[in-house]
Amino acid sequence: MPPPTAPAESPSRREQNKTATRAAIADAALVLLRSEGPSAVTADRVADAAGVSRRTLFNYFPTVEAALNVPTEVFLDQALRQLEELPADMPIMEAAVLAMRSLADRRALAPVAELFVLSVDTPQLNRLQLETWENCASRLVETVLGRVPRSESLEATVFAHSVVGAGKAAFAHWAHHHAGDLSDASLAALQHHLAEALSQLRDGFPTLRIQASAAPERKA
């Protein structure tokens, strides 16, 4: 009879406090951004709103903009974790689509969508958003190489950046039609765009292929 599996250790009180402090700072920064705009998101005001010192804020984040970027980091991390937990024998593109469809928490998606729109007019935040998406692509390369050992590094890199690019395109498409609208219907549309973008990538853009094959031949 196999020995009983030891229960997973729960986070210590210190780790819980650190997580709560980090979340409080990120939430305070986002609330200020929503209510008063980018100029209000200063270290002093964010620290005061979060109930911490300025020094504590910078112990957790290198910049105030980095605190604002937390929802995007969390969202992309959850997407990667969902992918990594799927069966290893599932085709990687199918797994990517399924992982995206499984992210059904619209409360978590709302601040990501909001920050995507707000970053357009906030250069520092825009730079951090780009870095976060790039980091996601790098992690995805490692995930692909781990799931598909026979894949080449270039192949995995092209795949990862294609998937990340499809995700960003879905956000951009949503922002063009729904910017500022964080209703359930709008966020449901964003969820659909994200899954559909990856499905198009998986299926090789079938509509574009049909249009290309149906196009009349040009006369010489």
Side-chain angles (χ1 to χ4, degrees):
M1 183 175 180
T5 302
E9 294 185 8
S10 58
S12 67
R13 177 63 61 86
R14 184 169 181 269
E15 291 171 336
Q16 291 175 3
N17 289 340
K18 289 175 66 176
T19 299
T21 299
R22 179 180 170 85
I25 294 170
D27 289 345
L30 185 55
V31 168
L32 280 171
L33 182 67
R34 285 170 175 159
S35 61
E36 301 183 44
S39 62
V41 188
T42 64
D44 289 332
R45 293 203 60 187
V46 171
D48 184 61
V52 301
S53 68
R54 179 188 174 95
R55 180 177 179 179
T56 297
L57 185 155
F58 287 117
N59 283 338
Y60 282 85
F61 298 100
T63 65
V64 175
E65 288 80 10
L68 279 173
N69 207 39
V70 166
T72 303
E73 293 177 348
V74 171
F75 171 76
L76 294 177
D77 181 68
Q78 288 177 339
L80 284 169
R81 288 179 183 274
Q82 291 283 353
L83 174 60
E84 291 165 355
E85 291 173 2
L86 290 170
D89 58 351
M90 180 180 292
I92 187 66
M93 193 66 241
E94 189 64 42
V97 174
L98 188 58
M100 187 57 65
R101 290 189 185 279
S102 68
L103 296 175
D105 187 353
R106 293 175 192 166
R107 292 173 300 176
L109 186 57
V112 183
E114 188 176 9
L115 287 169
F116 187 90
V117 175
L118 291 171
S119 68
V120 174
D121 298 318
T122 312
Q124 177 74 348
L125 179 57
N126 184 55
R127 180 181 64 78
L128 285 169
Q129 290 265 305
L130 291 174
E131 287 181 1
T132 303
W133 286 94
E134 284 297 310
N135 289 340
C136 177
S138 297
R139 280 186 59 189
L140 185 52
V141 170
E142 297 302 318
T143 298
V144 173
L145 292 174
R147 289 177 65 96
V148 191
R150 291 177 295 176
S151 59
E152 298 290 335
S153 177
L154 176 61
E155 183 181 27
T157 301
V158 171
F159 172 86
H161 283 272
S162 297
V163 168
V164 168
K168 291 170 66 177
F171 271 97
H173 180 79
W174 170 85
H176 179 71
H177 294 282
H178 299 272
D181 181 4
L182 297 176
S183 65
D184 281 348
S186 176
L187 293 174
L190 176 54
Q191 288 176 314
H192 172 76
H193 295 332
L194 285 165
E196 180 62 19
L198 294 189
S199 296
Q200 289 286 334
L201 193 60
R202 175 196 62 193
D203 300 336
F205 305 98
T207 303
L208 296 180
R209 291 208 312 271
I210 292 171
Q211 289 179 340
S213 63
E217 295 184 3
R218 292 184 178 180
K219 295 182 179 180

